[in-house]
Each structure stands twice: as structure tokens, then as C-alpha cells.
Amino acid sequence: MMKNTDLFSDLSATLAASLFEETEYPWEVLPRIKDFVLALGPRLDGSEYERVADQVWIHRSCKVYDTAVILGPTIIGAETEVRPSAFIRGSVLVGRNCVVGNSTELKNCILFDRVQVPHYNYVGDSIFGYRAHTGAGAICSNVKSDKTSVAVHGPEGELPTGLRKFGAILGDHVEVGCNSVLCPGTVIGQNSNVYPLSRVRGVIPAGHIYKAEGNVVEKR
């Protein structure tokens, strides 16, 4: 339930399809995002993408507000909206028809097409699948308090990742409620929901509702 093939149904919903085809688990993609964006950016069609700053390529159909800050390397896909005071720190690939909201911060992450992180969100060292959505104030905590490597706590025990920075993986169509915290190494399966004000750790299976720690129920 934690593999790329389990979490993402249609890799055509991201320009980074090759990264997921070449790896088994999504967190294996995280250390490769920066180099991938740097290699892809110069190859993008100049009639569609404008290089607006050093190592920053934005589709000409995007709406980017003046107070947004976008650092490279970053690619932002067609019809995406980057709202006021958004902060994109680099090593970021944003898909088509996404919303990067006011005061939302992105860093070393991939957002598939139609992802919405619309209000006061932090998405660092994370991957959000097609149509994933986070409510206002939801954040990905990407570093453990003791600064040790992150392990994924799955149903069959711990799976080491070797990564000191690893936020969350959201499968396709995941909904995360307002003011929730996704602890380092969280993996949420496709079509699952997280209640507002949750603290999530470990693996949530596809098609489930996370109500509270120890209270995860299958959708009906």
C-alpha cells in the first residue's frame, strides 16, 4: 500500500512520471527532485513556458500574484494559480490546474495536477498525488525532533528511508482537514480523508477515514 503503483493511478498527471517509474517507493523520488527540475526546465517549450528568473519556469497561462516569491529550481504547470504571499523555495514541480494559496510554503516537493494547498500550508519534502487537497493550516512536518533519519511506520513494522527530511506522501484524491499535522514519514493512501485537527503518523490505507489516533475506519 506504500508503493508508487499503490498511491498514484495515472502518472500522466505529472511531468515527473519517469521518476516514479524508475523507483518503487515515493520517498525515493525526494532526493532526485532538484536535479530533475534543473534538467527538465531548459527543455520545456518556450512558447508555453516562460523563464521568469534563474531556474524558474512558469507556464504562460498561470496566474501569479505580485507578492508571491518563487525561487529556483521550480517549474509551475498550466492554469495554476499562485496566490499572494506564497513562498516557493525551490526544488519544486507543480502540476497543471493547481492552487498554491496565500502564505503557503513549498520546498522540495512534487504536486501532481489539480492539487490544492490553498491556505497557510507547509509542504516540504513531500509528494501530493492527483487532486489531493489540504485544508487551511494543514502542514507537513518534515524533520523529527531528534533530527534522526525518518522511518515509515507501516502495518508490517518500520521501513527505514535513510532520509533526515521527509514530510508526507498523499495518494490521489486525499483530503486533509484544517489545522492537521502530518508527522515525518506519513503516507496516506488514495481516496482517504483526515479529520481536522488531526496529528497523523504512519500509514493510512486507501479508502479510509482518519478520525483520531487509533480510530481509522474504512469508508462505506
Side-chain angles (χ1 to χ4, degrees), residues 92-188:
V92 170
L93 176 60
V94 179
R96 302 168 59 91
N97 297 105
C98 294
V99 175
V100 181
N102 58 300
S103 302
T104 289
E105 182 177 348
L106 306 182
K107 172 255 182 187
N108 194 54
C109 63
I110 294 175
L111 307 185
F112 278 54
D113 295 348
R114 296 190 178 275
V115 167
Q116 294 192 356
V117 282
H119 312 286
Y120 308 105
N121 304 118
Y122 175 66
V123 184
D125 301 285
S126 300
I127 298 170
F128 284 16
Y130 178 72
R131 281 190 180 273
H133 171 265
T134 55
I139 65 169
C140 300
S141 175
N142 61 334
V143 180
K144 295 171 61 177
S145 59
D146 61 5
K147 308 300 189 293
T148 58
S149 296
V150 177
V152 176
H153 298 270
E156 299 178 359
E158 288 191 359
L159 185 60
T161 69
L163 300 174
R164 191 177 70 84
K165 293 187 177 182
F166 171 17
I169 309 294
L170 274 57
D172 296 343
H173 299 279
V174 166
E175 290 279 344
V176 177
C178 295
N179 291 320
S180 293
V181 176
L182 307 181
C183 295
T186 295
V187 179
I188 304 178

Side-chain angles (χ1 to χ4, degrees), residues 43-56:
R43 304 200 308 266
L44 294 170
D45 186 343
S47 67
E48 295 184 7
Y49 286 85
E50 180 181 4
R51 182 173 177 170
V52 299
D54 187 32
Q55 301 175 351
V56 177

